[in-house]
């Protein structure tokens, strides 16, 4: 006799990850050290129908949370970025008197750059805690990673305060910019922080007063803090991160440009069979994670592969959003599977919908496909027999 709903970790063993913020150290640790989610059991339509009201609500809630957190997926783009980051972090173990190289992860929105960097940061946190322990030799809590998200028109004092907010420093409420940065340095040294992640760097206006101030401040941090800076943003090159001077010939940006290694992430492409096989592997991996009563082998990888690529133009962020919302609708309406009719009802981001129109024509005219040649030939043969 099957249980009315799948087993899950006992109450209290898993923190409420929907109620955390990565701008606080406790939030990052909770995410890094949370036990792995347990995939809900796939019940049949009959089994779902026999559930009592309370059990049905609980089962649907478990599925809803599961589908909302399907990632991150080990895509080729994510794995390549992680390999580069491990290379750079490992090579940045110089003594404290030497400045460490920085990294800039620069890609268009929806390609998973923040997700990929965060996944790396969580693994790094786990590795450092496992290697060196949760406390330093001086008895302070060890925080291997610090993350700060930028806002528009942020100045040096605001940035330093954000650093102190992450560490919950008691002196974060008052003080000068100089005092804030010294307190931040104390936190980094006492907590043995090794990675400083700065997200949404594109908000920084490099050419105005605040932008230059913070840019120079990054140079100071690179020189004085024993950390590796990881910048995340959109079109950082065009915004001046790698410029060696500004419009007036000021060369204060040169040091940042010379010390920063640009990395990127690309959308999925299906120009050749190798790329099509990568897309198909992604579809098969997603299929295995879906908890829908009527799902079947090939639902995504065969029947919806071209449709999903057209809808999302190969952007992993748009794809995960479409799958998540589609599963929520399929479970709520009782459809219990994904097909084009259901997914056509799911709203998606404006960028994906705008790019879809031009791409769809290429697929309709058979100028593009996501199916490897051998797979496409089998599909055509099957249709002919039918």
């Amino acid at each position: 006799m099957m249980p009315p709903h799948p087993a899950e970790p006992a109450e209290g063993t898993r923190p409420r990850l929907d109620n955390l913020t990565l701008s606080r150290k406790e939030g990052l640790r909770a995410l890094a050290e949370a036990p792995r989610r347990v995939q809900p059991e796939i019940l049949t339509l009959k089994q779902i129908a026999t559930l009592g009201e309370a059990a049905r609500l609980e089962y649907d809630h478990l599925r809803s949370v599961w589908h909302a957190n399907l990632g991150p997926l080990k895509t080729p783009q994510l794995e390549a970025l992680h390999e580069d980051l491990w290379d750079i972090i490992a090579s940045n173990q110089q003594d404290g008197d030497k400045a460490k190289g920085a990294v800039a992860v620069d890609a268009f929105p929806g390609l998973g750059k923040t997700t990929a960097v965060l996944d790396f940061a969580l693994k790094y946190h786990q590795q450092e805690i496992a290697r060196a322990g949760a406390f330093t030799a001086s008895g302070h809590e060890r925080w291997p990673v610090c993350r700060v998200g930028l806002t528009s028109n942020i100045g040096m004092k605001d940035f330093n305060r954000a650093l102190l907010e992450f560490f919950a420093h008691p002196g974060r409420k008052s003080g000068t910019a100089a005092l804030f940065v010294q307190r931040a340095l104390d936190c980094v040294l006492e907590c043995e922080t090794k990675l400083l992640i700065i997200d949404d760097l594109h908000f920084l206006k490099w050419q105005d007063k605040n932008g230059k101030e913070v840019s120079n401040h990054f140079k100071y941090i690179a020189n004085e803090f024993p950390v590796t800076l990881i910048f995340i943003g959109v079109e950082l090159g065009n915004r001046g991160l790698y410029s060696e001077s500004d419009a007036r010939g000021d060369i204060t940006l040169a040091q940042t440009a010379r010390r920063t290694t640009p990395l990127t992430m690309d959308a999925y492409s299906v120009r050749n069979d190798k790329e099509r096989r990568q897309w198909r592997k992604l579809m098969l991996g997603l299929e295995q994670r879906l908890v829908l009563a009527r799902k079947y082998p090939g639902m995504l990888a065969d029947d919806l592969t071209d449709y999903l690529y057209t809808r999302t133009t190969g952007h992993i962020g748009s794809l995960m959003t479409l799958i998540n919302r589609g599963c929520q609708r399929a479970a709520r309406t009782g459809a219990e599977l994904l097909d084009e009719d259901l997914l056509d009802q799911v709203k998606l981001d404006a960028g994906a919908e705008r790019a879809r129109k031009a791409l769809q024509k290429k697929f309709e005219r058979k100028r593009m496909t996501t199916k490897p040649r051998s797979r496409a030939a089998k599909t055509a043969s099957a249709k002919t027999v039918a």
Side-chain angles (χ1 to χ4, degrees):
M1 185 73 177
M2 296 184 67
H5 57 76
E8 64 172 342
E11 187 69 27
T13 63
R14 184 177 179 86
R16 280 194 58 197
L17 299 185
D18 62 327
N19 198 39
L20 62 76
T21 172
L22 297 178
S23 62
R24 300 289 190 275
K25 54 186 174 64
E26 293 83 3
L28 192 143
R29 180 174 63 186
L31 190 59
E33 300 180 1
R36 188 174 182 179
R37 273 194 171 86
V38 177
Q39 181 170 343
E41 186 177 352
I42 301 176
L43 303 183
T44 65
L45 289 174
K46 183 177 180 180
Q47 289 168 334
I48 292 175
T50 60
L51 293 176
E53 182 178 357
R56 175 64 184 271
L57 287 173
E58 180 64 13
Y59 181 62
D60 285 344
H61 173 71
L62 289 174
R63 290 198 294 174
S64 180
V65 172
W66 173 261
H67 289 138
N69 296 278
L70 289 175
L73 300 174
K74 292 183 179 180
T75 65
Q77 295 90 333
L78 179 142
E79 291 183 326
L81 178 67
H82 282 196
E83 285 298 316
D84 289 332
L85 288 174
W86 284 121
D87 287 345
I88 294 167
I89 300 305
S91 67
N92 269 357
Q93 298 183 88
Q94 304 98 328
D95 293 336
D97 62 324
K98 302 178 182 66
K100 303 179 188 300
V103 180
V105 181
D106 186 353
F108 285 113
L111 294 177
K113 57 186 179 298
T114 297
T115 299
V117 172
L118 178 59
D119 187 54
F120 175 86
L122 299 180
K123 288 181 171 62
Y124 185 80
H125 172 96
Q126 295 164 356
Q127 176 180 287
E128 285 297 290
I129 296 299
R131 182 189 64 81
F135 294 89
T136 68
S138 301
H140 297 287
E141 290 181 319
R142 186 183 307 280
W143 297 102
V145 180
C146 173
R147 177 201 167 274
V148 174
L150 296 192
T151 59
S152 60
N153 296 321
I154 191 170
M156 186 170 71
K157 185 175 181 179
D158 301 319
F159 178 79
N160 293 337
R161 182 185 288 112
L163 284 173
L164 295 179
E165 287 285 355
F166 179 87
F167 290 104
H169 191 285
R172 64 191 184 277
K173 300 298 184 182
S174 62
T176 64
L179 279 174
F180 280 170
V181 74
Q182 290 306 313
R183 292 167 184 165
L185 178 58
D186 288 341
C187 290
V188 166
L189 293 175
E190 291 173 354
C191 300
E192 299 189 5
T193 303
K194 302 300 181 185
L195 294 185
L196 175 53
I197 299 171
I198 301 172
D199 205 354
D200 294 324
L201 191 66
H202 48 272
F203 282 145
L204 192 64
K205 298 178 180 178
W206 297 89
Q207 305 304 330
D208 68 10
K209 180 181 177 181
N210 280 356
K212 287 185 178 180
E213 182 183 71
V214 177
S215 173
N216 287 334
H217 191 48
F218 291 156
K219 181 172 64 177
Y220 170 80
I221 289 175
N223 288 336
E224 303 299 330
F225 285 47
V227 298
T228 296
L229 285 165
I230 300 181
F231 302 115
I232 307 173
V234 178
E235 294 190 324
L236 299 180
N238 293 338
R239 297 174 190 275
L241 177 62
Y242 313 125
S243 301
E244 300 204 359
S245 65
D246 63 13
R248 293 179 296 180
D250 187 344
I251 62 171
T252 56
L253 296 176
Q255 192 165 324
T256 300
R258 291 290 180 176
R259 288 181 177 172
T260 303
T261 301
L263 302 177
T264 191
M265 295 184 73
D266 297 319
Y268 270 88
S269 178
V270 291
R271 295 167 297 185
N272 54 56
D273 269 3
K274 178 181 178 181
E275 294 174 344
R276 294 180 194 119
R277 283 192 292 270
Q278 289 177 345
W279 177 258
R280 179 172 175 78
K281 183 178 179 181
L282 174 63
M283 295 295 100
L284 291 170
L286 277 172
E287 271 185 24
Q288 293 177 355
R289 299 191 182 200
L290 303 189
V291 185
L292 297 173
R294 296 176 60 205
K295 83 165 185 179
Y296 56 89
M299 183 177 71
L300 303 187
D302 293 327
D303 294 348
L304 288 173
T305 175
D306 283 354
Y307 175 88
L308 291 172
Y309 189 86
T310 303
R311 280 293 303 269
T312 64
T313 60
H315 284 63
I316 190 69
S318 299
L319 174 67
M320 298 305 290
T321 298
L322 180 60
I323 294 295
N324 175 16
R325 293 177 182 174
C327 287
Q328 305 292 349
R329 182 180 287 259
R332 188 178 64 254
T333 61
E336 293 293 341
L337 57 69
L338 299 183
D339 58 23
E340 291 190 24
D341 289 340
L342 183 141
L343 292 175
D344 276 341
Q345 301 173 53
V346 175
K347 304 299 186 293
L348 203 53
D349 60 273
E353 296 294 2
R354 195 165 47 239
R356 173 188 183 184
K357 296 178 181 178
L359 192 61
Q360 193 166 3
K361 293 180 180 178
K362 294 182 179 180
F363 276 85
E364 289 173 350
R365 295 169 182 170
K366 308 299 181 183
R367 293 172 57 190
M368 286 186 69
T369 181
T370 61
K371 298 178 180 179
R373 291 179 183 176
S374 58
R375 177 65 53 177
K378 289 180 181 178
T379 302
S381 176
K383 288 182 178 179
T384 302
V385 172

